[in-house]
Amino acid sequence: QFAQWRASIIAVQEVAPEHTRRYGIVAGTEVNDRVMDITRIVEKPAPVDAPSRLGVAGRYILTPGVFHEIASQPAARRGRRDPAHRRHCRLAAP
Protein backbone atom coordinates (compact mmCIF):
# COMPACT_ATOMS: atom_id res chain seq x y z
CA GLN A 1 0.00 0.00 0.00
CA PHE A 2 2.77 2.47 0.84
CA ALA A 3 4.29 2.26 -2.65
CA GLN A 4 0.94 3.24 -4.15
CA TRP A 5 -0.15 5.98 -1.73
CA ARG A 6 3.20 7.37 -0.48
CA ALA A 7 1.45 8.34 2.74
CA SER A 8 1.41 7.16 6.34
CA ILE A 9 -0.55 3.94 6.81
CA ILE A 10 -2.28 2.62 9.92
CA ALA A 11 -3.53 -0.97 10.02
CA VAL A 12 -6.98 -1.47 11.52
CA GLN A 13 -9.20 -4.39 12.36
CA GLU A 14 -12.93 -4.65 12.85
CA VAL A 15 -13.77 -4.98 16.53
CA ALA A 16 -16.91 -6.03 18.35
CA PRO A 17 -18.90 -3.07 19.73
CA GLU A 18 -18.21 -4.16 23.30
CA HIS A 19 -14.44 -4.01 22.59
CA THR A 20 -14.23 -0.41 21.36
CA ARG A 21 -12.98 0.63 24.82
CA ARG A 22 -9.79 -1.34 24.09
CA TYR A 23 -8.75 0.46 20.88
CA GLY A 24 -8.33 3.77 19.15
CA ILE A 25 -11.32 3.79 16.78
CA VAL A 26 -11.04 5.53 13.41
CA ALA A 27 -13.45 7.58 11.32
CA GLY A 28 -12.95 8.82 7.80
CA THR A 29 -13.84 8.64 4.14
CA GLU A 30 -13.60 5.36 2.27
CA VAL A 31 -11.20 5.60 -0.70
CA ASN A 32 -11.79 1.99 -1.79
CA ASP A 33 -12.73 -1.30 -0.11
CA ARG A 34 -9.31 -1.53 1.64
CA VAL A 35 -8.28 2.12 2.13
CA MET A 36 -9.75 4.95 4.19
CA ASP A 37 -8.65 8.57 4.51
CA ILE A 38 -8.76 9.01 8.29
CA THR A 39 -10.32 12.20 9.62
CA ARG A 40 -10.11 11.35 13.32
CA ILE A 41 -9.20 8.72 15.86
CA VAL A 42 -11.13 8.43 19.11
CA GLU A 43 -9.04 6.81 21.83
CA LYS A 44 -10.91 3.97 23.58
CA PRO A 45 -14.47 5.27 23.24
CA ALA A 46 -17.58 3.74 24.75
CA PRO A 47 -19.50 1.75 22.11
CA VAL A 48 -22.11 4.51 21.83
CA ASP A 49 -19.39 7.12 21.13
CA ALA A 50 -17.33 5.06 18.67
CA PRO A 51 -17.32 6.58 15.15
CA SER A 52 -16.93 3.10 13.59
CA ARG A 53 -15.91 -0.43 14.53
CA LEU A 54 -12.43 -0.11 12.99
CA GLY A 55 -9.83 -0.33 15.74
CA VAL A 56 -6.15 0.60 15.36
CA ALA A 57 -4.18 -2.66 15.25
CA GLY A 58 -0.90 -1.09 16.41
CA ARG A 59 0.90 -1.43 13.06
CA TYR A 60 2.09 1.76 11.38
CA ILE A 61 4.09 2.85 8.35
CA LEU A 62 4.91 6.49 8.96
CA THR A 63 6.37 9.16 6.71
CA PRO A 64 9.06 11.42 8.24
CA GLY A 65 6.71 14.40 8.56
CA VAL A 66 4.52 12.49 11.00
CA PHE A 67 7.25 12.45 13.65
CA HIS A 68 7.38 16.25 13.64
CA GLU A 69 3.59 16.39 13.96
CA ILE A 70 3.60 13.88 16.83
CA ALA A 71 6.27 15.86 18.68
CA SER A 72 4.27 19.07 18.29
CA GLN A 73 1.08 17.57 19.78
CA PRO A 74 0.37 17.97 23.48
CA ALA A 75 1.04 14.81 25.47
CA ALA A 76 -1.95 12.55 25.99
CA ARG A 77 -2.74 10.54 29.09
CA ARG A 78 0.33 9.41 31.03
CA GLY A 79 2.51 11.73 28.92
CA ARG A 80 2.34 9.54 25.81
CA ARG A 81 2.62 10.81 22.26
CA ASP A 82 1.86 8.23 19.64
CA PRO A 83 0.51 7.95 16.08
CA ALA A 84 -2.97 7.10 17.34
CA HIS A 85 -3.32 10.77 18.30
CA ARG A 86 -2.68 12.01 14.75
CA ARG A 87 -5.67 13.60 13.08
CA HIS A 88 -4.98 12.99 9.38
CA CYS A 89 -3.27 10.08 7.69
CA ARG A 90 -3.96 7.38 5.12
CA LEU A 91 -5.28 4.04 6.36
CA ALA A 92 -5.07 0.56 4.89
CA ALA A 93 -7.20 -2.28 6.20
CA PRO A 94 -5.26 -5.53 6.73
Side-chain angles (χ1 to χ4, degrees):
Q1 296 289 337
F2 182 78
Q4 178 180 358
W5 296 103
R6 308 301 283 174
S8 295
I9 295 173
I10 299 175
V12 298
Q13 61 188 7
E14 190 168 345
V15 299
E18 62 271 16
H19 294 163
T20 60
R21 291 180 193 267
R22 300 179 185 177
Y23 298 89
I25 304 295
V26 303
T29 305
E30 186 175 304
V31 175
N32 63 41
D33 65 333
R34 295 186 48 84
V35 176
M36 172 186 280
D37 197 12
I38 294 175
T39 56
R40 71 184 171 127
I41 300 174
V42 179
E43 189 63 27
K44 299 179 181 173
V48 69
D49 298 324
S52 75
R53 290 186 40 213
L54 296 176
V56 176
R59 304 292 183 259
Y60 310 94
I61 298 174
L62 303 174
T63 57
V66 170
F67 295 100
H68 172 73
E69 292 295 323
I70 292 170
S72 71
Q73 298 297 312
R77 288 182 290 175
R78 297 181 299 264
R80 283 179 51 174
R81 286 185 178 90
D82 71 46
H85 297 99
R86 286 287 303 128
R87 295 183 59 88
H88 301 284
C89 54
R90 189 68 68 180
L91 164 74

Coordinates of all heavy atoms in Angstrom, one line a residue:
Q1 N 0.8 -1.2 0.0 CA 0.0 0.0 0.0 C 0.8 1.3 0.0 O 0.5 2.2 -0.6 CB -0.9 0.0 1.2 CG -2.0 -1.1 1.2 CD -3.1 -0.9 0.2 OE1 -3.3 0.2 -0.3 NE2 -3.7 -1.9 -0.2
F2 N 2.0 1.3 0.7 CA 2.8 2.5 0.8 C 3.3 2.9 -0.5 O 3.3 4.1 -0.9 CB 3.9 2.3 1.8 CG 4.7 3.5 2.0 CD1 4.3 4.6 2.7 CD2 5.9 3.7 1.3 CE1 5.0 5.8 2.9 CE2 6.7 4.8 1.4 CZ 6.2 5.9 2.2
A3 N 3.7 1.9 -1.3 CA 4.3 2.3 -2.6 C 3.2 3.0 -3.5 O 3.6 3.9 -4.3 CB 4.8 1.0 -3.3
Q4 N 2.0 2.6 -3.4 CA 0.9 3.2 -4.2 C 0.6 4.6 -3.6 O 0.4 5.6 -4.4 CB -0.3 2.4 -4.2 CG -1.5 3.0 -4.9 CD -2.7 2.1 -4.9 OE1 -2.7 1.0 -4.4 NE2 -3.7 2.6 -5.5
W5 N 0.4 4.8 -2.3 CA -0.1 6.0 -1.7 C 0.9 7.0 -1.3 O 0.6 8.2 -1.2 CB -1.1 5.7 -0.5 CG -2.3 4.9 -1.0 CD1 -2.5 3.6 -0.8 CD2 -3.4 5.4 -1.7 NE1 -3.7 3.2 -1.3 CE2 -4.3 4.3 -1.9 CE3 -3.8 6.6 -2.1 CZ2 -5.5 4.4 -2.5 CZ3 -5.0 6.7 -2.8 CH2 -5.8 5.7 -3.0
R6 N 2.1 6.5 -1.0 CA 3.2 7.4 -0.5 C 2.7 8.3 0.7 O 3.0 9.5 0.7 CB 3.8 8.2 -1.6 CG 4.2 7.4 -2.8 CD 5.2 6.4 -2.6 NE 6.6 7.0 -2.4 CZ 7.6 6.3 -2.1 NH1 7.5 5.1 -1.8 NH2 8.8 6.9 -2.0
A7 N 2.0 7.6 1.6 CA 1.5 8.3 2.7 C 1.5 7.4 3.9 O 1.7 6.2 3.8 CB 0.0 8.7 2.5
S8 N 1.4 8.0 5.1 CA 1.4 7.2 6.3 C 0.2 6.2 6.3 O -0.8 6.5 5.8 CB 1.3 8.0 7.6 OG 2.5 8.8 7.7
I9 N 0.5 5.0 6.8 CA -0.5 3.9 6.8 C -0.7 3.4 8.2 O 0.3 3.2 8.9 CB -0.1 2.8 5.9 CG1 -0.1 3.3 4.4 CG2 -1.1 1.6 6.0 CD1 0.4 2.3 3.4
I10 N -2.0 3.2 8.6 CA -2.3 2.6 9.9 C -3.1 1.4 9.6 O -4.2 1.5 9.0 CB -3.1 3.6 10.8 CG1 -2.2 4.8 11.1 CG2 -3.5 2.9 12.1 CD1 -3.0 5.9 11.9
A11 N -2.7 0.2 10.2 CA -3.5 -1.0 10.0 C -4.7 -0.9 11.0 O -4.5 -0.5 12.2 CB -2.7 -2.2 10.2
V12 N -5.8 -1.4 10.6 CA -7.0 -1.5 11.5 C -7.6 -2.8 11.4 O -7.4 -3.6 10.5 CB -8.0 -0.4 11.2 CG1 -7.5 1.0 11.4 CG2 -8.6 -0.6 9.8
Q13 N -8.4 -3.1 12.4 CA -9.2 -4.4 12.4 C -10.6 -4.1 12.9 O -10.8 -3.2 13.7 CB -8.5 -5.4 13.2 CG -8.4 -5.0 14.7 CD -7.6 -6.0 15.5 OE1 -7.0 -6.9 15.0 NE2 -7.6 -5.8 16.8
E14 N -11.6 -4.8 12.4 CA -12.9 -4.6 12.8 C -13.0 -5.2 14.2 O -12.5 -6.3 14.5 CB -13.9 -5.3 11.9 CG -15.4 -5.0 12.3 CD -16.3 -5.4 11.2 OE1 -15.9 -5.7 10.1 OE2 -17.5 -5.4 11.5
V15 N -13.6 -4.5 15.1 CA -13.8 -5.0 16.5 C -15.2 -5.0 16.9 O -16.1 -4.3 16.4 CB -13.0 -4.1 17.5 CG1 -11.5 -4.1 17.2 CG2 -13.5 -2.7 17.6
A16 N -15.5 -5.9 17.8 CA -16.9 -6.0 18.4 C -17.3 -4.7 19.1 O -16.4 -4.1 19.7 CB -17.0 -7.2 19.3
P17 N -18.5 -4.3 19.1 CA -18.9 -3.1 19.7 C -18.5 -3.0 21.2 O -18.0 -2.0 21.7 CB -20.4 -3.0 19.6 CG -20.7 -3.9 18.4 CD -19.7 -4.9 18.4
E18 N -18.6 -4.1 21.9 CA -18.2 -4.2 23.3 C -16.7 -4.1 23.5 O -16.2 -3.9 24.7 CB -18.8 -5.4 24.0 CG -18.3 -6.7 23.5 CD -19.1 -7.3 22.3 OE1 -19.9 -6.6 21.7 OE2 -18.9 -8.5 22.1
H19 N -15.9 -4.1 22.5 CA -14.4 -4.0 22.6 C -13.9 -2.7 22.1 O -12.7 -2.5 22.2 CB -13.8 -5.1 21.8 CG -14.0 -6.5 22.3 ND1 -13.8 -7.6 21.6 CD2 -14.5 -6.9 23.6 CE1 -14.2 -8.7 22.4 NE2 -14.6 -8.2 23.5
T20 N -14.7 -1.7 21.8 CA -14.2 -0.4 21.4 C -13.4 0.3 22.5 O -12.5 1.1 22.2 CB -15.4 0.5 20.9 OG1 -16.3 0.7 21.9 CG2 -16.0 -0.1 19.6
R21 N -13.7 0.0 23.7 CA -13.0 0.6 24.8 C -11.5 0.2 24.9 O -10.8 0.7 25.7 CB -13.7 0.3 26.1 CG -15.0 1.0 26.3 CD -15.6 0.6 27.7 NE -17.0 1.0 27.8 CZ -17.4 2.1 28.3 NH1 -16.5 3.0 28.7 NH2 -18.7 2.3 28.4
R22 N -11.2 -0.8 24.1 CA -9.8 -1.3 24.1 C -8.9 -0.8 23.0 O -7.7 -1.0 23.0 CB -9.8 -2.9 23.9 CG -10.6 -3.6 25.0 CD -10.6 -5.1 24.7 NE -11.4 -5.8 25.6 CZ -11.6 -7.1 25.6 NH1 -11.1 -7.8 24.6 NH2 -12.4 -7.7 26.5
Y23 N -9.5 0.0 22.1 CA -8.7 0.5 20.9 C -9.0 1.9 20.6 O -10.0 2.5 21.0 CB -9.3 -0.3 19.6 CG -9.0 -1.8 19.7 CD1 -10.0 -2.6 20.3 CD2 -7.9 -2.3 19.2 CE1 -9.8 -4.0 20.3 CE2 -7.7 -3.7 19.2 CZ -8.7 -4.5 19.8 OH -8.5 -5.9 19.8
G24 N -8.0 2.5 19.8 CA -8.3 3.8 19.2 C -9.2 3.4 18.0 O -8.9 2.5 17.2
I25 N -10.3 4.1 17.8 CA -11.3 3.8 16.8 C -11.3 4.9 15.8 O -11.3 6.1 16.1 CB -12.7 3.6 17.4 CG1 -12.8 2.6 18.5 CG2 -13.8 3.3 16.3 CD1 -12.5 1.1 18.0
V26 N -11.2 4.5 14.5 CA -11.0 5.5 13.4 C -12.4 5.9 12.7 O -13.3 5.1 12.7 CB -10.0 5.0 12.3 CG1 -8.7 4.7 12.9 CG2 -10.6 3.9 11.6
A27 N -12.4 7.1 12.2 CA -13.4 7.6 11.3 C -12.8 8.2 10.1 O -11.7 8.7 10.2 CB -14.3 8.6 12.1
G28 N -13.5 8.2 9.0 CA -13.0 8.8 7.8 C -13.8 8.5 6.6 O -14.9 8.1 6.7
T29 N -13.2 8.8 5.4 CA -13.8 8.6 4.1 C -13.2 7.4 3.4 O -12.0 7.4 3.3 CB -13.6 9.9 3.3 OG1 -14.1 11.0 4.0 CG2 -14.4 9.8 2.0
E30 N -14.1 6.5 3.0 CA -13.6 5.4 2.3 C -13.1 5.8 0.9 O -13.7 6.5 0.2 CB -14.7 4.4 2.1 CG -14.3 3.1 1.5 CD -15.4 2.0 1.4 OE1 -16.0 1.7 2.5 OE2 -15.7 1.6 0.3
V31 N -11.8 5.3 0.6 CA -11.2 5.6 -0.7 C -11.5 4.4 -1.6 O -11.8 4.6 -2.8 CB -9.7 5.8 -0.5 CG1 -9.0 5.9 -1.9 CG2 -9.4 7.0 0.3
N32 N -11.4 3.2 -1.1 CA -11.8 2.0 -1.8 C -12.1 0.9 -0.7 O -12.1 1.3 0.5 CB -10.8 1.5 -2.8 CG -9.4 1.2 -2.2 OD1 -9.3 0.5 -1.2 ND2 -8.3 1.6 -2.9
D33 N -12.3 -0.3 -1.1 CA -12.7 -1.3 -0.1 C -11.6 -1.7 0.9 O -11.9 -2.3 1.9 CB -13.3 -2.6 -0.8 CG -12.2 -3.3 -1.6 OD1 -11.3 -2.7 -2.1 OD2 -12.4 -4.5 -1.8
R34 N -10.4 -1.2 0.7 CA -9.3 -1.5 1.6 C -8.6 -0.3 2.2 O -7.7 -0.4 2.9 CB -8.3 -2.5 1.0 CG -8.9 -3.8 0.7 CD -7.9 -4.8 0.1 NE -6.7 -4.9 0.9 CZ -6.5 -5.6 2.0 NH1 -7.5 -6.3 2.5 NH2 -5.3 -5.7 2.6
V35 N -9.0 0.9 1.7 CA -8.3 2.1 2.1 C -9.3 3.2 2.6 O -10.3 3.4 1.9 CB -7.4 2.7 1.0 CG1 -6.7 4.0 1.4 CG2 -6.3 1.6 0.6
M36 N -8.9 3.9 3.7 CA -9.8 5.0 4.2 C -8.9 6.2 4.4 O -7.7 6.0 4.9 CB -10.4 4.5 5.5 CG -11.1 5.6 6.2 SD -11.8 5.1 7.8 CE -13.2 4.2 7.3
D37 N -9.3 7.3 4.1 CA -8.7 8.6 4.5 C -9.2 8.9 5.9 O -10.3 9.3 6.1 CB -8.9 9.6 3.5 CG -8.0 10.8 3.5 OD1 -6.9 10.7 4.2 OD2 -8.2 11.8 2.9
I38 N -8.3 8.8 6.9 CA -8.8 9.0 8.3 C -9.0 10.5 8.6 O -8.1 11.3 8.2 CB -7.7 8.5 9.3 CG1 -7.6 6.9 9.2 CG2 -8.0 8.9 10.7 CD1 -6.5 6.3 10.0
T39 N -10.1 10.8 9.2 CA -10.3 12.2 9.6 C -10.2 12.4 11.1 O -9.9 13.5 11.6 CB -11.7 12.7 9.2 OG1 -12.7 11.8 9.7 CG2 -11.8 12.7 7.7
R40 N -10.3 11.3 11.9 CA -10.1 11.3 13.3 C -10.0 10.0 13.9 O -10.4 9.0 13.3 CB -11.2 12.1 14.0 CG -12.5 11.4 14.1 CD -13.6 12.3 14.8 NE -14.9 11.7 14.6 CZ -15.7 11.5 15.6 NH1 -15.4 11.9 16.8 NH2 -16.9 10.9 15.4
I41 N -9.3 9.9 15.1 CA -9.2 8.7 15.9 C -9.7 9.0 17.3 O -9.2 10.0 17.9 CB -7.7 8.2 15.9 CG1 -7.2 7.9 14.5 CG2 -7.6 7.0 16.8 CD1 -5.8 7.6 14.4
V42 N -10.6 8.3 17.8 CA -11.1 8.4 19.1 C -10.5 7.3 20.0 O -10.7 6.2 19.7 CB -12.7 8.3 19.1 CG1 -13.2 8.5 20.6 CG2 -13.3 9.4 18.2
E43 N -9.8 7.8 21.0 CA -9.0 6.8 21.8 C -10.0 6.1 22.8 O -10.6 6.8 23.7 CB -7.9 7.5 22.6 CG -7.0 6.6 23.3 CD -6.2 5.7 22.4 OE1 -6.0 6.0 21.2 OE2 -5.8 4.6 22.9
K44 N -10.2 4.8 22.7 CA -10.9 4.0 23.6 C -12.3 4.5 24.0 O -12.6 4.7 25.1 CB -10.1 3.7 24.8 CG -8.8 3.0 24.5 CD -7.9 2.7 25.7 CE -6.6 2.0 25.2 NZ -5.7 1.9 26.3
P45 N -13.1 4.7 22.9 CA -14.5 5.3 23.2 C -15.4 4.2 23.7 O -15.2 3.0 23.5 CB -14.9 5.8 21.9 CG -14.3 4.8 20.9 CD -12.9 4.5 21.5
A46 N -16.5 4.6 24.4 CA -17.6 3.7 24.8 C -18.2 3.3 23.4 O -18.2 4.1 22.5 CB -18.6 4.5 25.6
P47 N -18.9 2.2 23.4 CA -19.5 1.8 22.1 C -20.4 2.8 21.5 O -20.4 3.0 20.3 CB -20.3 0.5 22.5 CG -19.5 -0.1 23.7 CD -19.0 1.2 24.4
V48 N -21.2 3.5 22.3 CA -22.1 4.5 21.8 C -21.4 5.7 21.2 O -21.9 6.4 20.3 CB -23.1 4.9 22.9 CG1 -22.4 5.7 24.0 CG2 -24.3 5.7 22.4
D49 N -20.1 6.0 21.6 CA -19.4 7.1 21.1 C -18.4 6.8 20.0 O -17.8 7.7 19.4 CB -18.6 7.7 22.3 CG -19.5 8.3 23.4 OD1 -20.6 8.8 23.0 OD2 -19.1 8.2 24.6
A50 N -18.3 5.5 19.7 CA -17.3 5.1 18.7 C -17.8 5.5 17.3 O -18.9 5.2 16.9 CB -17.2 3.5 18.7
P51 N -16.9 6.1 16.5 CA -17.3 6.6 15.2 C -17.4 5.4 14.1 O -18.0 5.6 13.0 CB -16.2 7.6 14.8 CG -15.0 7.1 15.6 CD -15.6 6.6 16.8
S52 N -16.9 4.3 14.5 CA -16.9 3.1 13.6 C -16.6 1.9 14.5 O -16.5 2.0 15.7 CB -15.9 3.2 12.4 OG -14.6 3.0 12.9
R53 N -16.4 0.8 13.8 CA -15.9 -0.4 14.5 C -14.5 -0.8 14.1 O -14.1 -1.9 14.3 CB -16.9 -1.6 14.3 CG -18.2 -1.3 15.1 CD -19.2 -2.4 15.0 NE -18.6 -3.7 15.2 CZ -19.0 -4.8 14.6 NH1 -20.1 -4.8 13.9 NH2 -18.4 -6.0 14.8
L54 N -13.8 0.1 13.5 CA -12.4 -0.1 13.0 C -11.4 0.3 14.0 O -11.3 1.5 14.3 CB -12.2 0.6 11.7 CG -13.0 0.1 10.5 CD1 -12.8 1.0 9.3 CD2 -12.7 -1.3 10.2
G55 N -10.8 -0.6 14.7 CA -9.8 -0.3 15.7 C -8.4 -0.4 15.2 O -8.0 -1.2 14.4
V56 N -7.6 0.5 15.7 CA -6.2 0.6 15.4 C -5.5 -0.7 15.9 O -5.6 -1.0 17.0 CB -5.5 1.9 15.9 CG1 -4.0 1.9 15.6 CG2 -6.1 3.1 15.4
A57 N -4.8 -1.4 14.9 CA -4.2 -2.7 15.3 C -2.7 -2.5 15.8 O -2.1 -3.5 16.0 CB -4.2 -3.6 14.0
G58 N -2.2 -1.3 15.9 CA -0.9 -1.1 16.4 C 0.2 -1.3 15.4 O 1.3 -1.5 15.8
R59 N -0.1 -1.3 14.1 CA 0.9 -1.4 13.1 C 0.9 -0.2 12.2 O -0.2 0.2 11.7 CB 0.6 -2.6 12.2 CG 0.5 -3.9 12.9 CD 1.8 -4.4 13.5 NE 1.8 -5.6 14.2 CZ 1.7 -5.8 15.5 NH1 1.6 -4.8 16.3 NH2 1.6 -7.0 16.0
Y60 N 2.0 0.5 12.1 CA 2.1 1.8 11.4 C 3.2 1.8 10.4 O 4.3 1.2 10.6 CB 2.4 2.9 12.4 CG 1.5 2.9 13.6 CD1 1.9 2.3 14.8 CD2 0.3 3.6 13.5 CE1 1.1 2.4 15.9 CE2 -0.5 3.7 14.7 CZ -0.1 3.0 15.8 OH -0.9 3.1 16.9
I61 N 3.0 2.4 9.3 CA 4.1 2.9 8.4 C 4.0 4.4 8.3 O 3.0 4.9 7.9 CB 3.9 2.3 6.9 CG1 4.0 0.7 7.0 CG2 5.0 2.8 6.0 CD1 3.7 0.1 5.7
L62 N 5.0 5.0 8.8 CA 4.9 6.5 9.0 C 5.9 7.2 8.1 O 7.1 6.8 8.0 CB 5.1 6.9 10.4 CG 4.2 6.2 11.4 CD1 4.6 6.5 12.8 CD2 2.8 6.6 11.2
T63 N 5.5 8.3 7.5 CA 6.4 9.2 6.7 C 7.1 10.1 7.7 O 6.6 10.3 8.8 CB 5.6 10.0 5.7 OG1 4.6 10.7 6.4 CG2 4.9 9.1 4.6
P64 N 8.3 10.6 7.3 CA 9.1 11.4 8.2 C 8.3 12.6 8.8 O 8.5 13.0 10.0 CB 10.2 11.9 7.4 CG 10.4 10.8 6.4 CD 9.0 10.4 6.1
G65 N 7.4 13.2 8.1 CA 6.7 14.4 8.6 C 5.8 14.1 9.8 O 5.5 15.0 10.6
V66 N 5.4 12.9 9.9 CA 4.5 12.5 11.0 C 5.2 12.7 12.3 O 4.6 13.1 13.3 CB 4.0 11.0 10.8 CG1 3.3 10.6 12.1 CG2 3.1 11.0 9.6
F67 N 6.5 12.4 12.4 CA 7.2 12.4 13.6 C 7.3 13.9 14.2 O 7.2 14.1 15.4 CB 8.6 11.8 13.5 CG 8.6 10.4 13.2 CD1 8.7 9.9 11.9 CD2 8.3 9.5 14.2 CE1 8.6 8.5 11.7 CE2 8.2 8.1 14.0 CZ 8.4 7.6 12.7
H68 N 7.4 14.8 13.2 CA 7.4 16.3 13.6 C 6.0 16.6 14.2 O 5.9 17.3 15.2 CB 7.7 17.2 12.5 CG 7.5 18.6 12.7 ND1 8.3 19.3 13.6 CD2 6.5 19.5 12.3 CE1 7.9 20.6 13.7 NE2 6.8 20.7 12.9
E69 N 5.0 16.1 13.5 CA 3.6 16.4 14.0 C 3.3 15.8 15.3 O 2.7 16.4 16.2 CB 2.6 15.9 12.9 CG 2.6 16.6 11.6 CD 2.2 18.1 11.8 OE1 1.2 18.3 12.6 OE2 2.7 18.9 11.1
I70 N 3.8 14.5 15.5 CA 3.6 13.9 16.8 C 4.3 14.7 17.9 O 3.7 14.9 19.0 CB 4.1 12.4 16.8 CG1 3.3 11.6 15.9 CG2 4.2 11.8 18.2 CD1 3.8 10.2 15.6
A71 N 5.5 15.1 17.7 CA 6.3 15.9 18.7 C 5.6 17.2 19.0 O 5.7 17.7 20.1 CB 7.7 16.1 18.2
S72 N 4.9 17.8 18.0 CA 4.3 19.1 18.3 C 2.9 19.0 19.0 O 2.4 20.0 19.4 CB 4.1 19.8 17.0 OG 3.1 19.2 16.2
Q73 N 2.4 17.8 19.1 CA 1.1 17.6 19.8 C 1.3 17.6 21.3 O 2.3 17.1 21.8 CB 0.5 16.2 19.4 CG 0.2 16.1 17.9 CD -0.8 17.1 17.4 OE1 -1.9 17.3 18.0 NE2 -0.5 17.8 16.3
P74 N 0.3 18.1 22.0 CA 0.4 18.0 23.5 C 0.3 16.5 23.9 O -0.3 15.7 23.2 CB -0.9 18.7 24.0 CG -1.7 18.9 22.8 CD -0.9 18.7 21.6
A75 N 1.0 16.2 25.0 CA 1.0 14.8 25.5 C -0.4 14.4 25.9 O -1.2 15.2 26.4 CB 2.0 14.7 26.7
A76 N -0.7 13.1 25.6 CA -1.9 12.6 26.0 C -1.8 12.0 27.4 O -0.9 12.4 28.1 CB -2.3 11.4 25.0
R77 N -2.8 11.1 27.8 CA -2.7 10.5 29.1 C -1.4 9.9 29.4 O -0.8 9.4 28.5 CB -3.8 9.5 29.2 CG -5.2 10.0 29.3 CD -6.2 8.9 29.4 NE -6.2 8.2 28.1 CZ -6.9 7.1 27.9 NH1 -7.6 6.6 28.9 NH2 -6.9 6.5 26.7
R78 N -0.9 10.0 30.6 CA 0.3 9.4 31.0 C 1.5 9.9 30.2 O 2.6 9.3 30.2 CB 0.3 7.9 31.0 CG -0.8 7.3 31.9 CD -0.8 5.8 31.9 NE -1.1 5.3 30.6 CZ -2.3 4.9 30.2 NH1 -3.3 5.0 31.0 NH2 -2.5 4.4 29.0
G79 N 1.4 11.1 29.6 CA 2.5 11.7 28.9 C 2.9 11.1 27.6 O 3.9 11.4 27.0
R80 N 2.0 10.2 27.1 CA 2.3 9.5 25.8 C 2.1 10.4 24.6 O 1.1 11.2 24.6 CB 1.5 8.3 25.6 CG 1.9 7.1 26.5 CD 1.0 6.0 26.3 NE 0.8 5.6 24.9 CZ 0.1 4.6 24.4 NH1 -0.4 3.7 25.3 NH2 0.0 4.4 23.2
R81 N 2.9 10.2 23.6 CA 2.6 10.8 22.3 C 2.8 9.6 21.3 O 3.8 9.0 21.3 CB 3.6 11.9 21.9 CG 3.5 13.2 22.6 CD 4.5 14.2 22.1 NE 4.3 15.5 22.7 CZ 4.9 15.8 23.8 NH1 5.8 15.0 24.4 NH2 4.7 17.0 24.4
D82 N 1.7 9.3 20.6 CA 1.9 8.2 19.6 C 1.0 8.5 18.4 O 0.2 9.4 18.4 CB 1.6 6.9 20.3 CG 0.1 6.7 20.6 OD1 -0.8 6.9 19.8 OD2 -0.2 6.2 21.7
P83 N 1.2 7.7 17.3 CA 0.5 8.0 16.1 C -1.0 7.9 16.2 O -1.7 8.4 15.4 CB 1.1 6.9 15.2 CG 2.4 6.5 15.7 CD 2.2 6.7 17.2
A84 N -1.5 7.2 17.2 CA -3.0 7.1 17.3 C -3.6 8.5 17.6 O -4.8 8.7 17.4 CB -3.3 6.1 18.5
H85 N -2.8 9.4 18.0 CA -3.3 10.8 18.3 C -3.2 11.7 17.1 O -3.6 12.8 17.2 CB -2.6 11.4 19.5 CG -2.8 10.6 20.7 ND1 -1.9 9.7 21.2 CD2 -3.9 10.5 21.6 CE1 -2.4 9.1 22.3 NE2 -3.6 9.5 22.5
R86 N -2.7 11.2 16.0 CA -2.7 12.0 14.8 C -4.1 12.2 14.2 O -4.9 11.3 14.3 CB -1.8 11.3 13.7 CG -0.4 11.4 14.0 CD 0.2 12.7 13.7 NE -0.1 13.1 12.4 CZ -0.6 14.3 12.0 NH1 -1.0 15.2 12.9 NH2 -0.8 14.6 10.8
R87 N -4.3 13.3 13.6 CA -5.7 13.6 13.1 C -5.9 13.2 11.6 O -7.0 12.9 11.2 CB -6.0 15.1 13.3 CG -6.0 15.5 14.7 CD -6.4 16.9 14.9 NE -7.7 17.2 14.3 CZ -8.8 17.2 14.9 NH1 -8.9 16.7 16.1 NH2 -9.9 17.5 14.2
H88 N -4.8 13.3 10.8 CA -5.0 13.0 9.4 C -3.9 12.1 8.9 O -2.7 12.4 9.0 CB -5.0 14.3 8.6 CG -6.0 15.2 9.0 ND1 -7.3 15.1 8.6 CD2 -5.9 16.4 9.7 CE1 -8.0 16.1 9.2 NE2 -7.2 16.9 9.8
C89 N -4.2 10.9 8.4 CA -3.3 10.1 7.7 C -4.0 9.1 6.9 O -5.2 8.9 7.0 CB -2.3 9.4 8.7 SG -3.2 8.5 10.0
R90 N -3.3 8.4 6.0 CA -4.0 7.4 5.1 C -4.0 6.1 5.9 O -3.2 5.8 6.7 CB -3.1 7.2 3.9 CG -3.6 6.4 2.8 CD -4.8 7.0 2.1 NE -4.4 8.2 1.3 CZ -5.3 8.9 0.7 NH1 -6.5 8.6 0.6 NH2 -4.9 10.0 0.0
L91 N -5.1 5.3 5.6 CA -5.3 4.0 6.4 C -5.5 2.9 5.4 O -6.2 3.0 4.4 CB -6.5 4.2 7.2 CG -7.2 2.9 7.7 CD1 -6.3 2.4 8.9 CD2 -8.6 3.2 8.2
A92 N -4.9 1.8 5.7 CA -5.1 0.6 4.9 C -5.6 -0.5 5.8 O -5.0 -0.8 6.9 CB -3.8 0.1 4.2
A93 N -6.7 -1.2 5.4 CA -7.2 -2.3 6.2 C -6.3 -3.5 5.9 O -5.9 -3.7 4.8 CB -8.7 -2.5 5.8
P94 N -6.1 -4.3 6.9 CA -5.3 -5.5 6.7 C -5.9 -6.5 5.8 O -7.1 -6.5 5.6 CB -5.1 -6.1 8.1 CG -6.1 -5.4 9.0 CD -6.5 -4.2 8.3

